[in-house]
């Protein structure tokens, strides 16, 4: 019996050491932040601002020069900057912890068409990767499944929670589809020509997608003798309550994807990746389709693209009136999500106005994800999800957070990384 008790004590001690820190309590006192330069997320900037919030909601946004009573605890942020919480679109945070450990990876499911697979219920709110987002101002994310033709359903979470139920901001916001390419490469490992060539299966692949949409629509409109879960999950695409995120590259593929989805009755569409979108901007504007770009720190996919294509594409699309956000899909995407503000900063360094770059990870992301009524800008009535930075939050040299709030809750900015940094800093100071 003693051995069992000792084992349990060791287990709980180890659990307390490795577990994420306790999520912040619900806001109980009003807070006023004055003196900071407020970047509202909609392109506007207020010097010497006053931001007040209570019970998780913003109650005042304006100048600190106004004669208005400060509420509750007053934070003097003179010389600092205040921003809306950053939103990571198309991320897989919390769905995998260590890529080399299969048991910790839950980003995709077996099968080709899985619209009924919900990423939210697999989300690990206690992921150590998730907690490392907050010190850079990344406070919300769209948790997105991967794989297959239809990957599944994403949800939007805030990044300081006990579990996925507490974390959820918007449940089952969108279904994600991977559009086929009209080109293919040979399998070099089988001796095939690795050069890029037209894919003779492209027509059949797109016909299969048309048929799947048609079958789902007919099922939903008819008498249901048996329940088809994948088709049931498609209902939101046809009634407008969900958005279809199409992961697609290529001018032809983008045009086909939009045309086929619209003709199938899908009401709301967003594009992910969308290389070649600059050639079909009129189509995107006409259909009010937003674009979630890939991270800029990569090489262009086409040999015909300019050397700086991946850095300037955001400005090209936004100048045409397209709503553009930054997505995280790619190599080491979960760990790299903490660099979201610096990707926006890279777009800013290549022609995009700094406040427009900020929109890509605040108001534009919120609009594309369908949560702009709650977050994305510093506005009265919206969630008090925001942070204070010592300097420019899009610059890794000056993105130093002193305070962060999610729904008014004063959250911890400590992570296992900051704890290790402090531990070993003290070690070398003592020598």
């Amino acid at each position: 019996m003693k051995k069992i008790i000792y084992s349990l004590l060791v287990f709980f001690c180890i659990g307390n050491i490795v577990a994420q820190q306790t999520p912040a309590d619900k806001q109980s006192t009003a807070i006023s932040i004055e003196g900071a330069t407020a970047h509202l997320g909609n392109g506007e900037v207020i010097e010497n601002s006053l931001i007040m919030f209570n019970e998780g909601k913003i109650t005042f946004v304006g100048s600190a020069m106004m004669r208005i009573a400060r509420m509750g605890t007053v934070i003097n942020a003179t010389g600092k900057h205040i921003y809306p919480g950053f939103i990571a679109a198309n991320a897989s945070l919390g769905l995998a912890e260590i890529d080399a450990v299969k048991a910790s990876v839950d980003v995709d499911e077996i099968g080709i068409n899985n619209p009924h697979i919900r990423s939210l219920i697999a989300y690990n709110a206690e992921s150590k990767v998730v907690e490392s987002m907050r010190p850079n101002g990344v406070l919300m994310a769209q948790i997105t499944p991967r794989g297959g033709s239809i990957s599944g359903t994403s949800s939007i979470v805030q990044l300081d929670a006990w579990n996925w139920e507490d974390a959820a901001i918007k449940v089952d916001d969108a279904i994600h589809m991977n559009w086929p390419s009209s080109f293919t490469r040979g399998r070099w490992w089988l001796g095939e020509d690795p050069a890029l060539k037209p894919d003779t299966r492209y027509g059949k692949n797109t016909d299969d997608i048309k048929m799947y949409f048609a079958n789902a629509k007919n099922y939903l409109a008819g008498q249901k003798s048996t329940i088809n879960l994948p088709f049931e999950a498609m209902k939101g695409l046809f009634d407008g309550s969900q958005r279809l995120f199409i992961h697609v590259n290529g001018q032809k593929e983008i045009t086909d994807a939009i045309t086929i989805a619209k003709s199938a009755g899908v009401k709301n569409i967003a594009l992910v990746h969308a290389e070649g979108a600059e050639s079909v901007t009129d189509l995107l504007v006409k259909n009010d389709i937003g674009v979630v770009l890939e991270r800029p720190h990569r090489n262009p996919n086409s040999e015909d693209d300019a050397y700086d294509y991946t850095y300037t594409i955001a400005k090209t699309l936004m100048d045409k009136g397209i709503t553009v956000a930054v997505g995280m899909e790619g190599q080491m995407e979960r760990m790299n999500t903490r660099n979201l503000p610096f990707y926006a900063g890279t777009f800013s360094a290549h022609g995009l106005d700094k406040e427009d770059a900020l929109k890509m990870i605040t108001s534009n992301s919120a609009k594309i994800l369908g949560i702009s009524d709650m977050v994305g800008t510093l506005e009265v009535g919206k969630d008090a999800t925001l942070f204070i930075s010592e300097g420019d939050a899009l610059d890794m040299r000056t993105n130093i957070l002193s305070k962060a709030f999610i729904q008014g809750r004063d959250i911890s900015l400590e992570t296992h990384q900051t704890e290790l940094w402090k531990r070993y800093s003290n070690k070398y100071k003592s020598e």
Side-chain angles (χ1 to χ4, degrees), residues 160-194:
D160 182 65
W162 289 99
N163 48 48
W164 63 263
E165 292 98 330
D166 294 339
I169 293 177
K170 186 172 184 179
V171 175
D172 300 338
D173 72 293
I175 291 175
H176 292 254
M177 167 180 282
N178 295 304
W179 197 262
S181 174
S182 61
F183 288 88
T184 186
R185 293 184 185 275
R187 296 168 293 183
W188 59 266
W189 59 92
L190 295 179
E192 298 175 356
D193 181 7

Side-chain angles (χ1 to χ4, degrees), residues 27-104:
Q27 183 181 6
S28 59
T29 303
I31 295 176
S32 300
I33 304 172
E34 64 177 352
T37 298
H39 304 262
L40 304 189
N42 59 3
E44 297 181 32
V45 177
I46 301 176
E47 302 287 348
N48 190 19
S49 68
L50 174 62
I51 310 292
M52 297 192 289
F53 52 94
N54 192 21
E55 297 182 350
K57 298 292 183 180
I58 298 175
T59 58
F60 181 83
V61 176
S63 172
M65 300 298 292
M66 295 183 64
R67 293 187 176 182
I68 183 172
R70 276 49 171 168
M71 296 173 57
T73 302
V74 178
I75 299 174
N76 185 350
T78 301
K80 299 180 181 181
H81 297 256
I82 185 168
Y83 293 87
F86 295 154
I87 308 166
N90 188 34
S92 58
L93 288 171
L95 299 183
E97 194 72 3
I98 304 172
D99 289 344
V101 179
K102 187 175 181 180
S104 75

Side-chain angles (χ1 to χ4, degrees), residues 7-314:
S7 297
L8 288 172
L9 288 173
V10 170
F11 173 78
F12 286 122
C13 288
I14 292 174
N16 286 333
I17 291 171
V18 301
Q20 181 195 40
Q21 67 268 8
T22 303
D25 292 331
K26 185 177 180 180
Q27 183 181 6
S28 59
T29 303
I31 295 176
S32 300
I33 304 172
E34 64 177 352
T37 298
H39 304 262
L40 304 189
N42 59 3
E44 297 181 32
V45 177
I46 301 176
E47 302 287 348
N48 190 19
S49 68
L50 174 62
I51 310 292
M52 297 192 289
F53 52 94
N54 192 21
E55 297 182 350
K57 298 292 183 180
I58 298 175
T59 58
F60 181 83
V61 176
S63 172
M65 300 298 292
M66 295 183 64
R67 293 187 176 182
I68 183 172
R70 276 49 171 168
M71 296 173 57
T73 302
V74 178
I75 299 174
N76 185 350
T78 301
K80 299 180 181 181
H81 297 256
I82 185 168
Y83 293 87
F86 295 154
I87 308 166
N90 188 34
S92 58
L93 288 171
L95 299 183
E97 194 72 3
I98 304 172
D99 289 344
V101 179
K102 187 175 181 180
S104 75
V105 179
D106 198 12
V107 297
D108 57 13
E109 288 289 342
I110 296 171
I112 301 300
N113 295 312
N114 295 314
H116 59 303
I117 297 300
R118 304 173 66 227
S119 63
L120 181 62
I121 60 175
Y123 174 70
N124 176 20
E126 291 196 340
S127 164
K128 284 189 173 294
V129 180
V130 168
E131 74 175 18
S132 69
M133 303 297 119
R134 301 193 297 261
N136 281 356
V138 182
L139 306 182
M140 294 163 284
Q142 180 193 41
I143 308 305
T144 306
R146 305 283 184 237
S149 178
I150 301 180
S151 304
T153 301
S154 60
S155 289
I156 302 160
V157 301
Q158 51 86 4
L159 304 183
D160 182 65
W162 289 99
N163 48 48
W164 63 263
E165 292 98 330
D166 294 339
I169 293 177
K170 186 172 184 179
V171 175
D172 300 338
D173 72 293
I175 291 175
H176 292 254
M177 167 180 282
N178 295 304
W179 197 262
S181 174
S182 61
F183 288 88
T184 186
R185 293 184 185 275
R187 296 168 293 183
W188 59 266
W189 59 92
L190 295 179
E192 298 175 356
D193 181 7
L196 196 65
K197 60 181 74 67
D199 190 345
T200 56
R201 299 168 298 177
Y202 179 72
K204 180 184 181 304
N205 291 336
T206 56
D207 285 343
D208 288 345
I209 293 172
K210 291 179 188 177
M211 183 61 68
Y212 194 82
F213 277 122
N215 289 340
K217 200 169 184 180
N218 291 336
Y219 165 84
L220 292 167
Q223 298 294 325
K224 305 168 188 175
S225 57
T226 59
I227 298 297
N228 185 309
L229 290 179
F231 288 165
E232 290 283 350
M234 299 280 282
K235 181 179 180 181
L237 298 183
F238 303 120
D239 65 19
S241 61
Q242 284 181 305
R243 194 179 299 270
L244 178 64
F245 278 67
I246 307 176
H247 300 231
V248 59
N249 282 318
Q251 178 182 347
K252 173 178 173 54
E253 288 86 343
I254 291 172
T255 303
D256 288 346
I258 294 172
T259 303
I260 290 173
K262 284 292 183 181
S263 64
V266 177
K267 297 185 181 299
N268 298 314
I269 299 171
L271 301 183
V272 182
H273 309 319
E275 290 214 8
E278 69 280 2
S279 301
V280 290
T281 52
D282 289 344
L283 179 64
L284 301 184
V285 172
K286 177 183 176 181
N287 291 282
D288 191 25
I289 295 175
V291 173
V292 179
L293 292 176
E294 290 186 67
R295 293 171 279 172
H297 297 176
R298 57 189 174 84
N299 293 325
N301 286 337
S302 172
E303 61 183 17
D304 294 325
D305 290 334
Y307 72 94
D308 60 351
Y309 171 87
T310 62
Y311 300 115
T312 61
I313 183 61

Side-chain angles (χ1 to χ4, degrees), residues 328-381:
M328 297 310 306
E329 189 172 0
Q331 289 186 329
M332 294 186 68
E333 62 181 80
R334 287 167 290 281
M335 285 62 76
N336 277 320
T337 302
R338 67 174 69 103
N339 293 321
L340 176 68
F342 313 136
Y343 297 136
T346 297
F347 286 123
S348 173
H350 290 80
L352 192 63
D353 178 79
K354 181 63 69 71
E355 298 305 317
D356 285 336
L358 177 63
K359 288 180 184 179
M360 296 180 69
I361 55 177
T362 54
S363 58
N364 282 6
S365 284
K367 181 179 178 181
I368 293 174
L369 302 186
I371 54 174
S372 58
D373 60 327
M374 296 182 285
V375 294
T377 56
L378 299 177
E379 292 184 59
V380 173

